[in-house]
Amino acid sequence: MDANGGVAICFFFAFCTRYVESQSYFRMGTNTNAAEAMQFLREYDREASGMCYRVTMSQWKFVTNITEYNRRRMVEELAISSKFERLSWRKAAAFDSTRLSDHQSRRQLAKIVQSSRAALSDEKFTELQQVISEMKEIYNTAKICPYGQKPYDPHIPRAPFQGSDFQDLPIQGYQLANQPYQHYQAYTESQEYPNYCDMQLDPEITRILAHSRIESELLYVWRSFRDKTGPKLKNRFMRYVQLANQAAVATGYRDAGDQMRSTYEDQTFRTSVEEIYNQVSPLYKQLFTYVRRRLVQRYGETSVRADGPIPSHLLGNMWAQNWKSIMDLVMPFPQAPNVDVTSEMLRQGFTPLRMFQMAEDFYTSMGMKPAPPEFWRSSMLARPPQRSVQCTASAWDFCNRIDYRIKQCTEVTMQDLISTHHEMAHIQYYLQYADQPQLFRDGANPAFHEAVANAATLSVYNLPHLQRIGLYQNKTHDPYEVSMNFLMTMALEKVAYLPFAFMVDQWRWSVFEEGVQNMNHRWWQMKLRYQGVIPPTPRSEADFDPGSKYHVISDQEYIKYFLATVLEFQIYEQLCLVSGHLGQLFECDIYRSREAGRLLSEIMQPGSSKSASDIIRTMTRGKTNRISPEALVKYFRPLELWLRVQNRDEPLIGWSSNYHDVALFSQQSDGTSNKAYSLRLLLILTICYNILK
Ligand SMILES: *[C@@H]1O[C@H](CO)[C@@H](O)[C@H](O)[C@H]1NC(C)=O
Ligand SMILES: *[C@@H]1O[C@H](CO)[C@@H](O)[C@H](O)[C@H]1NC(C)=O
Ligand SMILES: *[C@@H]1O[C@H](CO)[C@@H](O)[C@H](O)[C@H]1NC(C)=O
Ligand SMILES: [Zn+2]
């Protein structure tokens, strides 16, 4: 069996899945007066910018100085802005934008109307916001007891708010698994953990999943976190689905998934996305197969079947979405180093300020814009003493064309050096599209901001660049071995992530489209089909495992992360091409390339005034107008070749599932109605397996 096996599975499943592609468009009013429309948009631009400034400022004040007063102010501003949104929506929806000749006005009106839920009645609109904020609250306050310890005192107060409301991007940060963890002691015991039931997802639970190698401890935290979130969230989520669908239908869409997809302006969006998944799937299956064998070596065949799916608690992450934490188990050449320049940065006396200056220099060296004085005056570049702040790194546009800031509790580490470059790329994007109207000061589609920021950091986090900026000296190690270790680190973060980032919205769209029955079963069905992972313990419809993912319950679409991960390599490749890079893609550094700077500016300047396909066409000099994974596959080609050699004796590239795998998530809480369903699934899987044989 070789890699073609993987292709056959995908082909088969692609055949099983049929979509009704989005043809719908929001409903329109009857007003065709162009002068009135232009007048409205001018006023809107001024008012929306002002509103955006006030909301952003109140949010900034809160997250950089967490007090009850600042929280109240923020909630007040959000309420005012939500009223403004509803009012503007009514005005905008009164126009028949198809009859306006001016393309840009048409586009602006569409942006106000298409993704809003303002078509709901006041009561329902408020209820929907309320339900979402309750779900976030439940998620952010979920706590579990330490493994193997008795609950002690759940009432001891802890550090305030650590929630993730203002998350930048869950996959960002190229943290290297630089410490070879060999915990044969339970991780909880090896640390000075508090002896009370106060462990949160971030940081305690996340750390345990990343570093513990004790299966029972991993299982315990995996299950406990789901017990503390899912059941409380399920009913609220069902109400959310109902209301979001009503809003979508009232706006003219088929369902809420249809409405979410409309921002991509692609009539065959679902097919396009599925095609991308199919193209990256052979690479994923090579990585998967190699990682599985290493897990069999570590945990034994009773835990991980040699040709089966992987139990999802063993991959170093709560959602099995990013596997970089198990680098110690899968490192291709343990005798060669894993690149980490942290100690060199410390030796050279780096400070957070110097790291940001370096990041600014990266962009100005390409002829791009420097950060304005306001940036250096008002940003929060390190954790301030004596006040409580929310530390997730993020880049801020205050919507007044003056004020741009970054908030990051920077520490002198390689990971934070990469992160400074990532956040500075967002600032660069803001600066480049500053002259656009407010509605166009955004990425070309929801994937662009992250894609651009990560494309830039691909150039920072590679050996040639680290050598150029004096942080990495060529040691005596075999360059091939160092490269394979490097590519493996990247693959554990980027390639392993793709099927997860793909399946989250496949599931969400199916719930919006087909309803809320068997939600948990369908979640695991898709996890198995696309990621090849199974739950480590039986699940039923009393559980609600999608609720363990913040973006699901906080109403944030997820497919953008899938597309961003693919697009970042596509953008990177184009930047490398114009900079005249020769050689391996993964070694390309665009530092000091004016040509790359020019192209990057061209991608950024239009904001969202042009469609993503227009911008991709410009970027590729007319070669294509679609997001394509070719560059990603090319980037990882050397690793893929190495993986193929490692996997040559494997019985199966990819995974086959059996009755027991499927039975893990086919139990009904009431013990009945789901049997026929799982039998059907089993039949499908058996057919697939036979085709493969
Ligand atoms: C933090 O916010 C409080 C208001 O709750 C304010 O009085 C205080 O000056 C702020 N501190 C800083 C350092 O901005
Ligand atoms: C590092 O040094 C080795 C020999 O010691 C050489 O073969 C290799 O090309 C060098 N790598 C880089 C990136 O300069
Ligand atoms: C991309 O280009 C093709 C033909 O070149 C065209 O048919 C298609 O509509 C374009 N796609 C988008 C999303 O504009
Ligand atoms: Zn980002």
Side-chain angles (χ1 to χ4, degrees):
M1 185 69 52
D2 68 354
N4 292 334
V7 177
I9 289 187
C10 294
F11 179 77
F12 185 76
F13 278 118
F15 178 73
C16 297
T17 328
R18 276 190 315 270
Y19 310 128
V20 188
E21 282 289 355
S22 168
Q23 299 295 336
S24 40
Y25 200 60
F26 58 88
R27 231 165 249 153
M28 270 152 312
T30 51
N31 189 343
T32 55
N33 186 326
E36 266 179 43
M38 305 283 263
Q39 175 65 19
F40 163 70
L41 285 172
R42 262 195 304 277
E43 278 167 23
Y44 177 87
D45 189 58
R46 192 169 41 75
E47 287 174 31
S49 303
M51 195 65 66
C52 174
Y53 175 79
R54 289 176 47 181
V55 169
T56 309
M57 188 56 87
S58 73
Q59 289 173 327
W60 172 271
K61 283 193 173 148
F62 174 67
V63 297
T64 60
N65 178 13
I66 298 170
T67 65
E68 184 49 34
Y69 175 79
N70 287 342
R71 196 189 63 77
R72 263 206 318 275
R73 291 296 312 277
M74 177 179 71
V75 171
E76 281 163 21
E77 291 294 345
L78 283 169
I80 296 170
S81 139
S82 161
K83 231 179 241 151
F84 171 75
E85 185 204 322
R86 287 169 66 65
L87 197 64
S88 306
W89 184 87
R90 286 210 193 97
K91 291 184 190 161
F95 291 101
D96 178 357
S97 61
T98 54
R99 308 275 291 276
L100 296 176
S101 57
D102 179 41
H103 174 73
Q104 294 300 76
S105 310
R106 243 183 8 239
R107 200 171 164 80
Q108 289 192 57
L109 284 173
K111 285 203 179 292
I112 298 174
V113 178
Q114 71 184 3
S115 44
S116 173
R117 302 231 170 88
L120 285 176
S121 70
D122 284 338
E123 302 81 70
K124 285 191 172 170
F125 186 83
T126 312
E127 188 190 350
L128 179 54
Q129 294 196 321
Q130 182 64 30
V131 165
I132 294 169
S133 90
E134 280 171 22
M135 288 195 287
K136 288 187 192 174
E137 181 68 16
I138 290 168
Y139 192 98
N140 284 330
T141 54
K143 291 169 185 173
I144 70 169
C145 304
Y147 172 65
Q149 287 178 35
K150 286 259 169 4
Y152 171 64
D153 183 357
H155 300 301
I156 293 179
R158 61 173 288 131
F161 188 76
Q162 298 251 356
S164 33
D165 277 6
F166 304 94
Q167 259 174 352
D168 183 20
L169 175 68
I171 59 164
Q172 72 143 341
Y174 295 66
Q175 193 170 39
L176 289 172
N178 49 2
Q179 327 86 321
Y181 271 95
Q182 289 292 334
H183 285 297
Y184 295 107
Q185 186 190 11
Y187 188 73
T188 311
E189 288 161 21
S190 71
Q191 303 291 307
E192 293 292 311
Y193 267 96
N195 190 22
Y196 41 84
C197 297
D198 202 13
M199 301 207 316
Q200 292 196 326
L201 179 61
D202 183 17
E204 292 94 348
I205 298 174
T206 303
R207 270 189 209 146
I208 291 171
L209 282 162
H211 298 310
S212 172
R213 301 291 176 256
I214 303 290
E215 216 189 322
S216 54
E217 182 182 28
L218 292 169
L219 173 60
Y220 168 80
V221 293
W222 188 97
R223 185 169 52 196
S224 301
F225 182 67
R226 282 168 175 75
D227 287 348
K228 287 288 192 266
T229 48
K232 283 191 211 158
L233 292 165
K234 187 178 174 187
N235 283 335
R236 287 180 176 85
F237 188 82
M238 282 159 57
R239 180 64 178 154
Y240 155 81
V241 169
Q242 204 172 36
L243 291 169
N245 270 344
Q246 286 175 11
V249 170
T251 318
Y253 296 97
R254 247 192 338 271
D255 58 56
D258 189 22
Q259 182 174 21
M260 284 178 170
R261 293 187 298 270
S262 71
T263 51
Y264 290 94
E265 306 178 277
D266 178 355
Q267 292 296 309
T268 57
F269 185 64
R270 297 179 85 167
T271 318
S272 311
V273 175
E274 174 120 8
E275 272 169 22
I276 296 173
Y277 171 81
N278 289 341
Q279 284 169 272
V280 296
S281 169
L283 171 60
Y284 175 70
K285 289 195 165 117
Q286 291 291 343
L287 178 68
F288 176 97
T289 304
Y290 165 76
V291 166
R292 179 180 55 206
R293 197 178 64 250
R294 293 298 185 92
L295 290 175
V296 170
Q297 283 162 7
R298 175 67 187 85
Y299 295 104
E301 279 225 47
T302 49
S303 299
V304 186
R305 216 169 56 243
D307 65 350
I310 298 176
S312 76
H313 62 319
L314 303 180
L315 290 159
N317 177 275
M318 181 56 90
W319 312 276
Q321 70 176 60
N322 181 331
W323 304 351
K324 69 185 178 192
S325 298
I326 59 162
M327 181 64 173
D328 57 319
L329 300 179
V330 302
M331 196 151 165
F333 295 99
Q335 69 282 9
N338 205 348
V339 176
D340 184 0
V341 298
T342 299
S343 54
E344 185 58 25
M345 289 168 66
L346 289 168
R347 205 186 58 76
Q348 294 186 20
F350 269 56
T351 60
L353 180 62
R354 172 141 170 231
M355 288 157 72
F356 276 94
Q357 285 165 342
M358 206 165 206
E360 184 188 41
D361 171 60
F362 181 77
Y363 298 100
T364 53
S365 85
M366 295 191 279
M368 300 180 80
K369 295 180 191 257
E374 289 76 13
F375 173 87
W376 297 107
R377 206 158 40 232
S378 314
S379 285
M380 187 191 102
L381 303 184
R383 182 196 279 276
Q386 274 146 24
R387 64 179 204 264
S388 161
V389 299
Q390 200 265 85
C391 266
T392 318
S394 50
W396 297 59
D397 179 348
F398 285 74
C399 318
N400 61 358
R401 300 190 164 116
I402 296 169
D403 209 338
Y404 303 93
R405 303 182 192 175
I406 284 175
K407 164 180 78 69
Q408 178 173 297
C409 301
T410 316
E411 292 181 12
V412 180
T413 63
M414 170 152 174
Q415 187 196 344
D416 280 5
L417 181 67
I418 306 301
S419 178
T420 57
H421 286 76
H422 175 102
E423 299 305 333
M424 277 303 233
H426 288 314
I427 298 287
Q428 186 64 225
Y429 212 154
Y430 300 150
L431 293 169
Q432 293 283 346
Y433 60 49
D435 292 334
Q436 297 288 345
Q438 172 69 21
L439 282 161
F440 294 155
R441 294 206 287 269
D442 199 355
N445 73 22
F448 259 75
H449 244 290
E450 290 313 316
V452 163
N454 278 340
T457 55
L458 284 178
S459 169
V460 177
Y461 181 26
N462 69 32
L463 293 183
H465 183 76
L466 294 174
Q467 275 179 348
R468 266 168 108 176
I469 60 175
L471 282 174
Y472 184 78
Q473 271 79 44
N474 189 358
K475 311 235 174 67
T476 49
H477 302 287
D478 182 342
Y480 176 77
E481 296 185 352
V482 175
S483 296
M484 286 308 118
N485 283 348
F486 169 77
L487 281 176
M488 179 60 79
T489 310
M490 294 303 272
L492 294 175
E493 179 172 334
K494 308 278 183 184
V495 178
Y497 179 60
L498 289 168
F500 174 79
F502 176 74
M503 66 74 54
V504 171
D505 276 357
Q506 297 294 318
W507 174 84
R508 181 168 11 207
W509 297 338
S510 93
V511 170
F512 284 136
E513 194 170 10
E514 294 157 27
V516 296
Q517 70 288 354
N518 295 324
M519 282 195 293
N520 212 42
H521 177 85
R522 276 145 71 194
W523 172 259
W524 283 108
Q525 204 181 345
M526 289 185 182
K527 299 274 286 180
L528 174 58
R529 178 189 303 177
Y530 297 118
Q531 271 187 286
V533 302
I534 44 171
T537 177
R539 313 305 285 163
S540 78
E541 291 305 315
D543 302 306
F544 179 56
D545 294 321
S548 71
K549 184 68 196 163
Y550 185 74
H551 295 70
V552 169
I553 54 90
S554 65
D555 185 39
Q556 298 178 41
E557 66 138 338
Y558 210 76
I559 199 67
K560 69 175 172 194
Y561 296 116
F562 175 73
L563 293 172
T565 308
V566 173
L567 181 59
E568 72 180 77
F569 289 93
Q570 195 175 5
I571 295 174
Y572 178 58
E573 186 187 31
Q574 294 304 321
L575 296 175
C576 292
L577 208 67
V578 297
S579 78
H581 173 75
L582 302 168
Q584 299 279 10
L585 183 54
F586 75 90
E587 289 178 328
C588 153
D589 179 18
I590 56 172
Y591 186 47
R592 296 191 186 138
S593 163
R594 297 267 154 173
E595 295 76 17
R598 208 155 30 234
L599 181 58
L600 196 49
S601 305
E602 257 176 68
I603 294 170
M604 291 172 161
Q605 269 159 11
S608 63
S609 67
K610 292 186 184 161
S611 69
S613 62
D614 282 348
I615 288 176
I616 294 172
R617 196 185 299 108
T618 311
M619 172 180 99
T620 58
R621 303 287 176 256
K623 245 181 71 197
T624 180
N625 62 3
R626 312 174 70 84
I627 296 180
S628 153
E630 275 170 47
L632 182 147
V633 171
K634 188 196 245 181
Y635 182 97
F636 287 107
R637 180 78 69 204
L639 181 71
E640 189 176 6
L641 294 176
W642 183 85
L643 287 169
R644 278 173 193 274
V645 174
Q646 304 306 307
N647 291 338
R648 72 191 161 229
D649 296 330
E650 287 293 317
L652 178 65
I653 305 296
W655 56 92
S656 73
S657 40
N658 64 23
Y659 175 79
H660 299 287
D661 299 328
V662 178
L664 278 171
F665 52 87
S666 299
Q667 288 160 6
Q668 275 297 78
S669 39
D670 60 6
T672 51
S673 61
N674 218 22
K675 255 192 200 123
Y677 200 64
S678 52
L679 278 179
R680 237 180 13 247
L681 179 72
L682 184 63
L683 190 66
I684 292 173
L685 292 168
T686 316
I687 295 170
C688 273
Y689 192 59
N690 286 332
I691 290 176
L692 291 177
K693 289 207 295 203

